Amino acid sequence: MSQVPTKILLDESRLPTHWYNILADMPTPPKPPLNPQTGAPVRPEDLAAIFPPALIEQEVSSERWIPIPEPVREVYRLWRPTPLFRAHRLEAALGTPARIYYKYEGVSPAGSHKPNTAVAQAYYNKEAGIRRLATETGAGQWGSALSLACNLFGLECTVYMVRVSYDQKPYRRSMMETWGATVHPSPSPHTQAGRRVLGAEPDSPGSLGIAISEAVEDAATHEDTNYALGSVLNHVLLHQTVIGLEAKEQLALVGEKADLVIASCGGGSNLGGIAFPFLYDRFAGDEVEVLAVEPEACPTLTRGRYAYDFGDVAGLTPLLPMYTLGRTYVPPAIHAGGLRYHGDSALVSQLYHEGHIQARAYPQRAVFEAAVLFARSEGIVPAPESAHAVRAAIDEALRCKDQGEARTILFNLSGHGHFDMAAYDAYRSGQLEDVRDPGEAIARALAELPEAPPLV
Ligand SMILES: *Cc1c(COP(=O)(O)O)cnc(C)c1O
């Protein structure tokens, strides 16, 4: 078919030694998180009740290259470097002159990119003498990643799993328990936050917002327990940059340079992970473009407002500068559960605001159509979240075909969809529906933004 190989593999010895910290190079760094009571910037010591010192330091560091501790690299070697694929068969199916590459993070034990940060977070907490981590999970991908990581570093792990997912995705729970985690359906009777909800509504299906409140309360009320978050925060995006750093080297091995980098965007760690190392080149004058893809049901970048908002529904977190739909916005129950967060990473938000990142939203049927075409040409069944990037890559490749342009497109295939086959069933049987325009619900939630200084 071509001289260019299908899989471009890096030797284990080329595993990155440092993470890339984009704060060192951003033209304008994001505004600081604010304490909602005082309105003053959050002090590092305010976070010490739930995060270890090393992660608090990384959250605010402006050092460009941050060394990856050797024990973390040792665990990364279980599945990293991950393969970069040239999508020869997809290109042929589309008849496009574009060259399509995808980085595949589904080869991790948990099946997504999330272990890249889970492993680092477990390591730093263990170093700080913590015995247990508490977290929340919606669709189950983050809970799985943290369960795996805690197990590998000898930590206990408590996962508050949104009740509906707990009931609908028993095998995600089973996977977490296999790695030794304790999984509670949320709302649970184990926390005040959970008991309060159960008191009012015993059959509550739960929400990510409630589960976050439970996990944070668990961590804040136990000396030996910390909290871990799977996206949004600066240190999480930092850890994910191994994806883009490897991809750049892999492209260079075949004499390529990306013109366009695409990733789905929930809280932003997947996008930041693959794209930030390419933005490093952009800040130095390169013309590479970055495209974030989100669901129409939760269009944070494309229809949100750039403002200070709480990270959780209850309003327990600091005020974060971000594109937000309003913390009270409850997105429709689309199948890409990992893309249903109301806000976005401060780093991604600021870069988008300045035009270094573009964004686009898709309805879910178009996303599944792309996922099936991808599965039938490349073989891999994508996670519904990842399929958003597949949709955009296909559309961009078709645009190249129209315009007779041979661009090099790179996207991140952030995970496989083996736990999402019910969603594929719904698509194939015609039961998967596009949601109604969420404009009114978004407007209502935006009207409830907290009082805070404007960002723009
Ligand atoms: C969580 C998840 C995402 C979204 O990740 P963010 O880092 O929050 O943007 C994308 N793809 C997969 C497979 C995921 O599990």
Side-chain angles (χ1 to χ4, degrees):
M1 215 161 180
S2 156
Q3 322 80 312
V4 179
T6 300
K7 289 192 304 304
I8 300 136
L9 303 173
L10 276 187
D11 190 77
E12 267 180 33
S13 63
R14 314 276 293 274
L15 188 72
T17 56
H18 293 71
W19 292 299
Y20 170 56
N21 178 14
I22 200 165
L23 265 175
D25 295 313
M26 281 174 72
T28 321
K31 294 247 171 68
L34 301 179
N35 179 317
Q37 270 82 48
T38 64
V42 170
R43 297 162 310 167
E45 56 267 35
D46 297 340
L47 303 171
I50 57 172
F51 293 118
L55 293 179
I56 296 173
E57 227 171 89
Q58 288 179 1
E59 197 57 25
V60 296
S61 170
S62 54
E63 206 178 309
R64 179 173 294 116
W65 299 103
I66 298 189
I68 308 176
E70 195 43 43
V72 172
R73 296 181 77 234
E74 194 186 311
V75 172
Y76 278 174
R77 279 189 206 104
L78 290 172
W79 71 92
R80 305 209 72 85
T82 60
L84 179 76
F85 287 86
R86 170 80 185 265
H88 287 300
R89 299 177 64 91
L90 179 63
E91 288 171 21
L94 298 172
T96 178
R99 296 184 294 277
I100 307 174
Y101 291 87
Y102 59 95
K103 182 78 167 154
Y104 186 40
E105 290 294 309
V107 295
S108 84
S112 77
H113 67 292
K114 290 191 169 75
N116 296 330
T117 183
V119 167
Q121 293 189 44
Y123 167 78
Y124 289 120
N125 276 290
K126 179 76 179 183
E127 283 290 283
I130 289 298
R131 200 182 57 78
R132 182 170 68 97
L133 288 181
T135 198
E136 72 287 336
T137 198
Q141 273 151 333
W142 169 243
S144 306
L146 196 69
S147 302
L148 163 77
C150 283
N151 172 247
L152 293 171
F153 285 106
L155 291 170
E156 284 180 30
C157 185
T158 304
V159 181
Y160 294 88
M161 185 174 191
V162 176
R163 171 106 237 172
V164 276
S165 304
Y166 184 91
D167 293 335
Q168 279 171 5
K169 291 189 158 188
Y171 298 127
R172 272 283 171 201
R173 171 187 52 73
S174 177
M175 197 175 194
M176 292 185 254
E177 290 174 350
T178 300
W179 282 319
T182 302
V183 185
H184 300 307
S186 165
S188 82
H190 304 283
T191 65
Q192 255 186 29
R195 287 191 295 272
R196 202 175 308 129
V197 178
L198 286 175
E201 192 188 347
D203 294 328
S204 166
S207 73
L208 206 52
I210 297 167
I212 294 177
S213 302
E214 288 206 88
V216 170
E217 179 187 326
D218 185 337
T221 54
H222 293 91
E223 191 68 28
D224 62 356
T225 303
N226 268 350
Y227 171 71
L229 193 65
S231 189
V232 179
L233 298 179
N234 298 355
H235 67 264
V236 179
L237 276 66
L238 171 79
H239 301 152
Q240 292 293 355
T241 57
V242 287
I243 303 171
L245 291 167
E246 287 176 8
K248 255 168 77 166
E249 259 204 76
Q250 286 163 309
L251 285 174
L253 279 180
V254 291
E256 286 271 28
K257 213 186 85 12
D259 296 313
L260 173 62
V261 180
I262 302 174
S264 62
C265 189
S269 79
N270 165 50
L271 175 77
I274 191 152
F276 285 1
F278 290 89
L279 288 180
Y280 171 83
D281 295 335
R282 187 181 159 99
F283 296 142
D286 189 84
E287 286 182 352
V288 61
E289 290 172 20
V290 172
L291 177 62
V293 192
E294 51 187 24
E296 276 189 356
C298 194
T300 319
L301 293 173
T302 49
R303 295 176 74 177
R305 186 176 305 162
Y306 196 27
Y308 273 110
D309 196 5
F310 290 103
D312 68 325
V313 178
L316 299 175
T317 69
L319 290 168
L320 305 167
M322 58 184 180
Y323 273 85
T324 178
L325 297 168
R327 74 185 197 283
T328 56
Y329 177 67
V330 181
I334 54 164
H335 287 282
L339 304 182
R340 290 179 71 243
Y341 186 58
H342 69 275
D344 239 311
S345 135
L347 296 173
V348 167
S349 295
Q350 180 66 30
L351 289 162
Y352 174 69
H353 186 67
E354 286 178 43
H356 293 294
I357 295 175
Q358 312 291 314
R360 181 185 300 173
Y362 283 113
Q364 65 177 348
R365 278 157 51 118
V367 166
F368 275 86
E369 183 198 18
V372 170
L373 173 61
F374 186 83
R376 291 181 182 178
S377 44
E378 295 293 314
I380 298 169
V381 177
E385 292 85 1
S386 318
H388 285 71
V390 175
R391 174 78 262 172
I394 288 175
D395 285 356
E396 287 303 309
L398 290 173
R399 207 158 61 103
C400 286
K401 183 179 175 178
D402 279 350
Q403 301 178 349
E405 228 187 323
R407 299 183 92 197
T408 300
I409 298 170
L410 168 69
F411 73 89
N412 197 28
L413 193 65
S414 49
H416 66 64
H418 298 180
F419 291 91
D420 301 282
M421 297 320 295
Y424 278 85
D425 278 350
Y427 172 70
R428 275 182 293 101
S429 65
Q431 280 164 1
L432 192 103
E433 284 175 6
D434 286 338
V435 299
R436 280 198 307 136
D437 183 285
E440 276 175 36
I442 292 171
R444 272 197 305 277
L446 284 176
E448 294 184 70
L449 284 181
E451 264 180 56
L455 288 176
V456 292

